[in-house]
Amino acid sequence: MNRKISNQFFLNFLLMFVISLMVGIFTLMLLDFADHVISNSLVKNIFTAESLMQDDISKINSSKVIENAGGVQVIDKNYKVVLSEGINTIEKDKLTAAEFTKFLTNSKAKGILYNYSIEYNEKEDFWLIVTFPSSFRIDFAVVSNVEYKTVNFNKVIGVLVAIILFYFLLLALSTFIYSKLASLRIINPLKDLSFSVRSLRDGDYSARVNHNQNNELGNLADTFNEMAQKIEDEMFLRKKAEENRKKLILDISHDLKNPLASIRGYAELCIDQELSLKERADYAKIIYNNSIRANELITGLFEMSKMESSQFKADLTKVDLCEYVREEIGKYISIFDKEGFIYTFDIPKEELFVMLDIKLMDRVFSNLIYNAVKYNNKGTEIFITLKREENNVNLEFQDNGIGIPCESSKRIFEPFVRLDNARNSQTGGSGLGLAITKKIIKEHDGSIDLITDINKGCKFIITLPMI
Ligand code: ADP
């Protein structure tokens, strides 16, 4: 890669050089063309000494020259200025032969401030000089003369070729060095980037690019870093999900193993041994209870996996939550009375609308209320309240029962998490109820929290968005 990019840079610079050379030549041609176009309209080319020339000096018409800020001088054969009108750059009335020769030579020199047009009248033996001030002028010309065939020719050509070759060599060298330097600023960050990309490909999700560039390469490195961070997070979640899946399978098999082993053991006893009617009835009851427990577990699991499937979607309808809660708790009053629980409800009279899947929400009510009844003693107080909090409604299920250790308040929503075995051996829960409850609330874009501690009761707070 290194060689390719620097070569590309070199070629680009070379191409740039050729283009600028061509542009330069084209500009010169354009200047030449423009010179031809405008030169015909310039006064210095219209009013030339040749065009004004007359044998009789007094007939020379200098009016147009003077009108255009020029000047006309006539010098006779003794180098005396015999006529001078308009601007005069000769400065003397009489010149020596040497001074006049110098004037003639200088009149054609480059960089002078005036344009001179000089014409000699052979008949009358005088010089007519027309002078115009220059506006600005660029003198550039390459000339060659085919008649120039001397021994010096080869030398001149040789030096010219050597200079051109040297110029191209210097140019190629500087282009090469410059392209190398320029490409290094790209190649080094690219090398870092490709190293990190390779590390990521090989499974190092912590690979990042360190850079201090504030250009497109810097942006590319930032994007790579963001992408790598996302992949790392995703991989972490995937690993965690995989661990959870393994734990879940372990928990399921462990939880199913006990009731099934018990069913099998007691069924064998019933088949193999002579049993009294009472023994047989006792064993049948144990088998029945264990089958109920196994069934509970499997039903819970089925419900959970149904909710986790991608096709699952809550069937939400617009419902007045106050009305719904009033109707729902009405179903449980007889249970509270039968189990000896004291209950208080606080439901506002106003209408608070939420999107609800009634069937799923019934399941939440049954989980939370049956838990409160199942895990607490007679005489426990139960409070069900509904409050509006800005754009949400908070539905609270509170009891003043035995509570849950506060460090378990988050973990308790995970599948198969139950508290000490002594409590559960009597109640026989599956540990799936709160996990299912949390999933249902999530399907409603809400949240569920638990405030609790040992002997301080449990307060489940469900927050649902209002519409
Ligand atoms: P399950 O009731 O089937 O065991 P849950 O997920 O519904 O499973 O409950 C998890 C655990 O939380 C229960 O085993 C119980 O120990 C505890 N728990 C739930 N609700 C209450 C409550 N109101 N009071 C005391 N403990 C509770």
Side-chain angles (χ1 to χ4, degrees):
M1 177 169 48
N2 188 328
R3 213 178 315 146
K4 270 189 198 159
I5 287 184
S6 61
N7 285 354
Q8 187 66 48
F9 264 78
F10 180 67
L11 284 177
N12 285 355
F13 286 125
L14 218 57
L15 190 72
M16 200 53 227
F17 164 71
V18 172
I19 291 172
S20 52
L21 207 69
M22 282 163 68
V23 168
I25 292 170
F26 180 69
T27 312
L28 279 177
M29 285 163 68
L30 218 63
L31 272 172
D32 191 46
F33 173 72
D35 184 42
H36 275 97
V37 170
I38 57 169
S39 63
N40 292 335
S41 60
L42 295 178
V43 282
K44 68 170 178 130
N45 296 331
I46 299 170
F47 306 109
T48 57
E50 194 187 355
S51 68
L52 298 179
M53 181 58 88
Q54 299 290 336
D55 291 342
D56 182 354
I57 293 173
S58 64
K59 284 189 182 159
I60 293 173
N61 183 4
S62 59
S63 60
K64 287 283 176 197
V65 177
I66 293 158
E67 235 175 66
N68 287 290
V72 173
Q73 277 78 41
V74 174
I75 313 269
D76 68 7
K77 58 182 174 198
N78 299 318
Y79 312 117
K80 192 170 174 228
V81 180
V82 290
L83 175 86
S84 179
E85 283 172 1
I87 57 163
N88 181 6
T89 57
I90 298 174
E91 290 170 356
K92 278 183 171 179
D93 292 342
K94 173 130 176 52
L95 303 169
T96 61
E99 281 171 341
F100 186 59
T101 311
K102 198 176 169 202
F103 170 76
L104 288 181
T105 317
N106 281 348
S107 69
K108 297 291 168 205
K110 290 191 188 311
I112 55 168
L113 296 171
Y114 297 91
N115 283 297
Y116 293 100
S117 166
I118 303 168
E119 190 73 20
Y120 177 64
N121 190 319
E122 283 178 13
K123 219 166 138 199
E124 298 298 326
D125 213 1
F126 68 84
W127 286 271
L128 173 62
I129 302 166
V130 179
T131 312
F132 282 107
S134 303
S135 49
F136 72 88
R137 208 171 67 208
I138 301 168
D139 293 307
F140 172 80
V142 176
V143 288
S144 74
N145 189 344
V146 280
E147 291 164 22
Y148 183 81
K149 286 219 173 14
T150 68
V151 278
N152 287 337
F153 183 77
N154 286 345
K155 272 189 201 163
V156 171
I157 291 293
V159 168
L160 211 66
V161 169
I163 287 173
I164 290 172
L165 280 180
F166 183 66
Y167 169 70
F168 275 110
L169 198 77
L170 259 183
L171 189 86
L173 198 73
S174 53
T175 306
F176 177 74
I177 292 170
Y178 184 58
S179 64
K180 259 275 188 267
L181 286 177
S183 63
L184 271 182
R185 286 183 61 80
I186 293 183
I187 288 166
N188 283 345
L190 277 181
K191 265 187 190 164
D192 289 350
L193 188 63
S194 73
F195 176 77
S196 300
V197 169
R198 270 200 303 275
S199 305
L200 193 74
R201 180 200 63 191
D202 297 341
D204 176 8
Y205 302 113
S206 63
R208 300 287 184 277
V209 186
N210 288 323
H211 72 93
N212 50 7
Q213 301 217 62
N214 205 9
N215 52 18
E216 285 84 350
L217 282 171
N219 293 347
L220 184 64
D222 284 342
T223 313
F224 169 81
N225 287 346
E226 280 167 28
M227 184 190 76
Q229 185 62 48
K230 273 192 184 160
I231 293 176
E232 192 178 16
D233 292 349
E234 191 63 34
M235 284 303 171
F236 175 75
L237 287 179
R238 209 181 269 186
K239 210 172 143 199
K240 209 166 163 233
E242 183 60 19
E243 277 166 13
N244 283 348
R245 198 184 59 83
K246 281 186 189 155
K247 189 176 166 289
L248 202 70
I249 291 174
L250 246 155
D251 287 341
I252 295 167
S253 34
H254 179 261
D255 275 43
L256 274 176
K257 213 175 85 190
N258 287 346
L260 290 181
S262 173
I263 289 170
R264 187 180 159 184
Y266 283 101
E268 270 172 6
L269 278 178
C270 291
I271 295 164
D272 295 345
Q273 293 188 14
E274 296 255 319
L275 298 170
S276 66
L277 270 178
K278 182 170 179 316
E279 278 172 328
R280 200 172 283 275
D282 286 347
Y283 292 172
K285 197 168 177 210
I286 294 170
I287 290 171
Y288 175 74
N289 284 340
N290 277 303
S291 70
I292 284 186
R293 180 155 167 65
N295 186 51
E296 241 177 42
L297 260 170
I298 289 166
T299 313
L301 268 173
F302 177 65
E303 262 183 273
M304 260 210 6
S305 55
K306 209 168 66 179
M307 268 183 247
E308 265 171 4
S309 88
S310 54
Q311 284 99 356
F312 180 78
K313 210 149 178 37
D315 183 13
L316 300 172
T317 45
K318 187 179 168 184
V319 172
D320 170 17
L321 193 64
C322 300
E323 188 54 32
Y324 167 77
V325 172
R326 269 192 288 272
E327 276 176 25
E328 195 59 20
I329 48 186
K331 296 180 195 166
Y332 294 94
I333 287 188
S334 60
I335 296 166
F336 291 143
D337 289 336
K338 189 173 152 223
E339 300 291 334
F341 281 73
I342 304 159
Y343 46 85
T344 312
F345 311 126
D346 182 7
I347 318 291
K349 288 202 171 64
E350 60 179 322
E351 288 180 325
L352 300 174
F353 284 101
V354 293
M355 294 304 285
L356 224 61
D357 182 321
I358 307 262
K359 257 192 179 169
L360 292 180
M361 201 46 87
D362 287 357
R363 179 80 160 95
V364 169
F365 263 77
S366 106
N367 277 351
L368 296 180
I369 292 176
Y370 275 122
N371 272 355
V373 173
K374 200 159 60 172
Y375 296 112
N376 294 304
N377 302 321
K378 267 188 184 189
T380 302
E381 283 182 63
I382 290 181
F383 309 88
I384 298 178
T385 52
L386 194 62
K387 280 186 238 168
R388 181 183 178 157
E389 295 255 317
E390 294 177 357
N391 291 328
N392 295 318
V393 264
N394 284 354
L395 175 58
E396 296 175 1
F397 294 82
Q398 188 175 3
D399 62 62
N400 64 349
I402 58 168
I404 294 171
C406 85
E407 62 273 11
S408 303
S409 65
K410 290 248 170 327
R411 216 170 57 86
I412 204 81
F413 292 102
E414 288 170 22
F416 296 105
V417 174
R418 282 168 292 175
L419 294 183
D420 64 272
N421 289 335
R423 264 156 87 171
N424 281 287
S425 57
Q426 294 157 18
T427 52
S430 66
L432 292 170
L434 288 179
I436 292 172
T437 300
K438 187 165 181 170
K439 275 193 192 305
I440 293 175
I441 299 300
K442 241 179 131 186
E443 283 296 318
H444 287 80
D445 288 331
S447 61
I448 180 163
D449 294 295
L450 171 61
I451 300 170
T452 183
D453 212 347
I454 288 284
N455 295 328
K456 294 217 169 113
C458 289
K459 183 177 180 181
F460 290 93
I461 307 167
I462 294 172
T463 306
L464 294 172
M466 272 177 60
I467 49 162

